[in-house]
């Protein structure tokens, strides 16, 4: 347990810069522009674009891939829709992109580090990897539970 915790903490620090690039782009720039443009469902749309951005490396087998690239892609889209929603709520609720950067770095460190280290073969990644079924379902449930108690008010309030 201590090794996974230490690996995750070091991973968070190492991932702050690359994840800052993603979050500044997706939640810091794109999401507010979509809201300003009054696009329908800007949180859903920006999260879908974020997920689609990852698909080429999933289908190539380079990133977050299980034996089934199609299943990995489906899991990734579901996970990025749900996690993107949570990050968007965090961005809109705090007015800052920096909590999203830390949350994204923590996510990548734990899910790609701790969970990947805990699996012994690629087949297990179908369940607990970043594109895993258990991970995607857990994220969807988190959005459902949190969405019942809080979500941004009218995105287009004047």
């Amino acid at each position: 347990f201590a090794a996974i915790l230490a690996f995750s903490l070091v991973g968070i620090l190492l991932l702050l810069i690359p994840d800052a690039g993603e979050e500044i782009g997706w939640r810091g720039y794109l999401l507010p522009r979509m809201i300003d443009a009054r696009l329908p469902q800007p949180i859903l749309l920006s999260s879908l674009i974020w997920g689609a951005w990852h698909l080429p490396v999933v289908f190539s087998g380079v990133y977050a891939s299980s034996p089934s690239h199609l299943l990995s892609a489906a899991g990734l889209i579901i996970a990025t829709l749900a996690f993107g929603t949570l990050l968007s709520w965090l961005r809109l609720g705090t007015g800052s992109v920096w909590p999203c950067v830390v949350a994204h770095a923590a996510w990548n460190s734990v899910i790609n580090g701790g969970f990947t280290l805990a699996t012994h073969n690629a087949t297990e990644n179908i369940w607990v990897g970043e594109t895993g079924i258990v991970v995607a379902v857990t994220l969807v449930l988190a959005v459902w539970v949190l969405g019942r108690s809080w979500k941004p008010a009218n995105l287009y309030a004047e």
Side-chain angles (χ1 to χ4, degrees), residues 7-98:
F7 182 83
S8 295
L9 292 174
V10 169
I12 291 169
L13 294 174
L14 293 174
L15 290 168
L16 283 174
I17 292 173
D19 289 340
E22 277 196 65
E23 289 307 316
I24 290 167
W26 300 120
R27 256 68 58 191
Y29 181 81
L30 182 64
L31 179 62
R33 296 310 172 284
M34 291 178 140
I35 292 169
D36 290 345
R38 296 182 174 271
L39 292 177
Q41 301 296 321
I43 292 173
L44 182 66
L45 184 58
S46 66
S47 297
L48 185 60
I49 294 168
W50 180 44
W53 182 75
H54 289 85
L55 289 179
V57 291
V58 171
F59 281 118
S60 71
V62 174
Y63 176 74
S65 192
S66 68
S68 168
H69 296 314
L70 191 57
L71 186 58
S72 292
L76 181 83
I77 291 297
I78 292 167
T80 54
L81 286 171
F83 192 49
T85 297
L86 295 172
L87 290 172
S88 295
W89 289 348
L90 186 59
R91 164 68 170 96
L92 297 172
T94 64
S96 174
V97 73
W98 298 111

Side-chain angles (χ1 to χ4, degrees), residues 120-155:
H120 298 352
N121 61 53
T123 305
E124 291 172 336
N125 285 337
I126 291 171
W127 296 102
V128 297
E130 185 171 18
T131 61
I133 295 166
V134 172
V135 172
V137 168
T138 301
L139 283 167
V140 169
L141 287 172
V143 168
W144 181 74
V145 168
L146 292 172
R148 291 176 54 105
S149 60
W150 179 88
K151 56 184 152 183
N154 183 358
L155 294 176

